[in-house]
Amino acid sequence: MRLLSVVAVLASLTGPASAQMLNLLPELKTMTPEEKEQEAIRQKAYRDSLRQIPNNSNSVDPWGNVRSDAPKAAAPAKQPRTKTGNATH
């Protein structure tokens, strides 16, 4: 009797799961030539709008005014080392 109730519970749980599997594959939609042309126009307008965005190569630090310490300056350039390892000789 216990086995029969376990089988009944499992069968009732798999019903909704199998029904969900039917909706996993969307219907294939074919586009008409007019729709393809409109999509191409939209894609071209999108690419053109992306080209108009300026390339900001400056690094922006939004928290720069909040920090108490000033941003660190670039490290000074190192002098080339000689064979002895001391550049001042």
Side-chain angles (χ1 to χ4, degrees):
M1 182 67 181
R2 189 175 205 181
L3 179 64
L4 185 60
S5 62
V6 169
V7 170
V9 169
L10 288 177
S12 66
L13 292 176
T14 58
S18 64
Q20 288 179 353
M21 292 298 288
L22 295 176
N23 293 333
L24 287 180
L25 298 175
E27 295 179 16
L28 296 176
K29 180 182 174 187
T30 58
M31 296 175 70
T32 64
E34 293 84 19
E35 290 174 335
K36 289 179 183 179
E37 183 180 340
Q38 291 295 324
E39 181 67 22
I41 291 170
R42 280 192 295 261
Q43 288 295 324
K44 183 181 182 309
Y46 173 72
R47 287 191 302 269
D48 291 343
S49 67
L50 287 180
R51 287 188 196 115
Q52 292 176 356
I53 298 174
N55 186 7
N56 189 3
S57 61
N58 299 338
S59 62
V60 178
D61 187 8
W63 290 93
N65 296 335
V66 179
R67 290 194 196 102
S68 61
D69 59 334
K72 296 179 181 176
K78 292 184 178 181
Q79 296 178 354
R81 303 192 107 183
T82 61
K83 289 183 181 179
T84 59
N86 191 353
T88 58
H89 289 225

